[in-house]
Amino acid sequence: MRRVLISVLTLVLALLLLSPAVAAPSPKDDIRKTVDQLLVILRDPQLKGTPRREKLSTVIRARFDFATMSQYTLGKYWKSASAEEQKQFIKLFSDLLEESYIGRIEAYSDETVHYGAERIEGERAEVATSVHTGNVEVPINYRLIRTGDGWYVYDVIVEEVSLIKNYRSSYGEIIRKEGFPRLLERMAEKIRDLRNGKAKPAGGG
Amino acid sequence: MLSLRMLLMGAVLGLWGVVAVAAGPAAAADEPSAPPLDEGYEVNGDSVWDPIEPVNRGFFWVNDKLYFYFLKPVARGYRAAVPEPGRVAVRNVFRNLDAPVRIVNNALQGKVVGTLDELAIFLSNSIFGLGGIIDLHADSGKPSPEDFGQTLGYYGVPAGPYLVLPIIGSRNLRDGAGQAVDRLVDPIPSPYYLKMSQLEIAAITTGEQINHLSLDKDSYEAVLRDSLDPYVTIRDAYMQNRAAKVAK
């Protein structure tokens, strides 16, 4: 009797241990895990300043595919850029996206996130979420691409606006009018301003 | 006697509305299938048609000043004076008043479920939500709001050139013209039923805008902070948003 019980328990334990490996995580699971981690960091009253930023950064960088995002943002200019320029762009663009993303979510620590439908097309997927803060509700959809073990974000769609296509429109104009090196310079300046908290609204602010 | 009969009829219609909203599985049936997830990433799409960009940038600058030196300070004072539930109620009333525009344009695009849902929400909020003060359907999925610009787009009218209008802000020609048509149906600016003066209409519209800003979390400031060229960022966001709404 006891031996039977032990073998049943062993079997159950083995199944429990095995199951996460058997069921590959869905795009929704991956996004949920990342967003939950971000919210835990944001809601921790002990965490402030640089340590908090570093923690947020680690979580974001583990889920965002900045190389693909960079390639899509540059569009046709990606191919004409040298390997060195591409590398520089990826570095600057990931820093810039991270700074603006963190800047925005820091204001939203009281938010709750609702998860909607998940759509999978081959190696790509879209997960619908909506962020509720007080009285406003913002639809945010994540687009993900499957790479090996998991799903990685290549675009964020806020209120029907693709972040990547939006960046592409302004960066494309700057490249056309001022050239690629100047774009890189301006991105570096912006990152510095955001980090120093000096990026004031250009207008009357 | 007549008014009692109307009240009864209203109540019956309202009840039907509640039932219809509860039973209706949102507007999913009206929506066409979404474009593939990889569309538009490998190639640069058509750039926005902005033939009078220097003029637009001028008005963009004017509107920026208007925002920081008039609208924003007023909205800040108003936010301090009126508690949030009050401002949400004001927003709900305005949204409810806009319902005829959404109903008509759903119907013009042949969106049966959308038309009935909008009608049901309007009746139910007007009657049981005390004239729209309470949004009884805040947590249920609403149909995507339709306007005449989207109706024109639905029948193939292109967006046309991008314009920045003083005070009003970003519009493309199609949607700006569409809005002028919607004003015939919208109870506040309509020349048909409330018959308010231009000054009254302007005052109410400004009030609506300030109420809206009082509930906003500085999204314009965030764009200015993050963007290398806020004019282009906002132009693209506007055009993307309108194109997506036409497709819905």
Side-chain angles (χ1 to χ4, degrees), chain A residues 107-123:
Chain A
Y108 288 91
S109 56
D110 57 335
E111 68 192 14
T112 52
V113 181
H114 296 234
Y115 295 89
E118 165 188 270
R119 179 172 145 217
I120 302 177
E121 284 173 9
E123 299 300 296

Side-chain angles (χ1 to χ4, degrees), chain A residues 72 74-76 100 103-104 107-108 110 119 121 124-126 135-136 143 154-155 157 159-162 164-166 168-171 173-174 177 183 186-187 190 194 199 201-205, chain B residues 34-45 53 57 64-65 68-69 84 88 91 138 215 217 221-230 232-238 240-241 244-245 248:
Chain A
Y72 285 163
L74 285 183
K76 64 178 176 189
S100 16
R104 303 247 179 142
Y108 288 91
D110 57 335
R119 179 172 145 217
E121 284 173 9
R124 284 162 199 266
E126 184 170 67
N135 56 77
V136 272
R143 290 201 168 172
Y154 70 90
D155 196 2
I157 321 265
E159 304 245 28
E160 318 278 1
V161 176
S162 148
I164 291 304
K165 290 176 187 171
N166 190 272
R168 186 159 69 192
S169 66
S170 53
Y171 286 11
E173 281 223 6
I174 293 170
K177 288 179 185 162
L183 172 68
R186 287 185 64 177
M187 289 169 78
K190 184 58 105 178
L194 284 168
Chain B
L37 292 175
D38 56 354
E39 192 179 275
Y41 285 104
E42 300 291 352
V43 288
N44 293 47
E53 186 177 330
R57 281 190 185 265
D64 178 89
K65 296 291 169 257
F68 282 111
Y69 294 116
E84 188 171 305
V88 171
R91 182 191 65 186
L215 291 163
K217 274 201 175 184
E221 283 87 340
V223 169
L224 295 184
R225 193 187 59 231
D226 292 344
S227 173
L228 292 182
D229 187 346
V232 177
T233 298
I234 287 173
R235 179 180 71 190
D236 178 81
Y238 172 78
Q240 274 201 51
N241 179 276
K245 280 186 174 153
K248 261 195 170 170

